[in-house]
Amino acid sequence: GKTDEELFPAPYAMISKAADLKVLEKGLTTKEELIAELKTGNRDFYTIKTPLFSSNGTIYALCGIAMDISKQK
C-alpha cells in the first residue's frame, strides 16, 4: 500500500516508475537488474513486471516481483 517514493530512494523510485509506465502504456513485460542504494546499504534486485489484462483485453493493472539477489551477486 505504499508508493515507490515511500519505499525507495528517489533514483530507484524513478526507475521503477518508468518501468511501470512502460508496462501500462505498451503492454510489455520488463525484466531488469537494479541496484538500490538503501539506508542499510546497496542491494541488488531482479525485477519482473507484467501487465494484467481484463477479459476484454485492456490492461487494468500490473504485477511486479522483485527478488533480492545481493547474495548471488
Side-chain angles (χ1 to χ4, degrees):
K2 293 187 178 187
T3 66
D4 290 330
E5 291 83 359
E6 292 171 315
L7 294 170
F8 304 108
Y12 180 79
M14 288 174 39
I15 292 168
S16 182
K17 286 184 100 168
D20 290 352
L21 289 174
K22 187 176 183 180
V23 170
L24 294 172
E25 291 174 355
K26 298 183 180 181
L28 301 174
T29 296
T30 62
K31 298 176 184 179
E32 299 177 301
E33 282 191 35
L34 303 169
I35 298 173
E37 296 176 10
L38 305 175
K39 292 177 184 175
T40 56
N42 290 356
R43 306 300 297 179
D44 292 279
F45 290 96
Y46 180 70
T47 64
I48 300 170
K49 295 181 180 185
T50 193
L52 300 177
F53 294 93
S54 67
S55 59
N56 68 2
T58 60
I59 299 170
Y60 69 92
L62 69 84
C63 176
I65 299 170
M67 296 168 279
D68 187 338
I69 59 170
S70 300
K71 288 183 181 179
Q72 292 85 345
K73 295 293 255 181

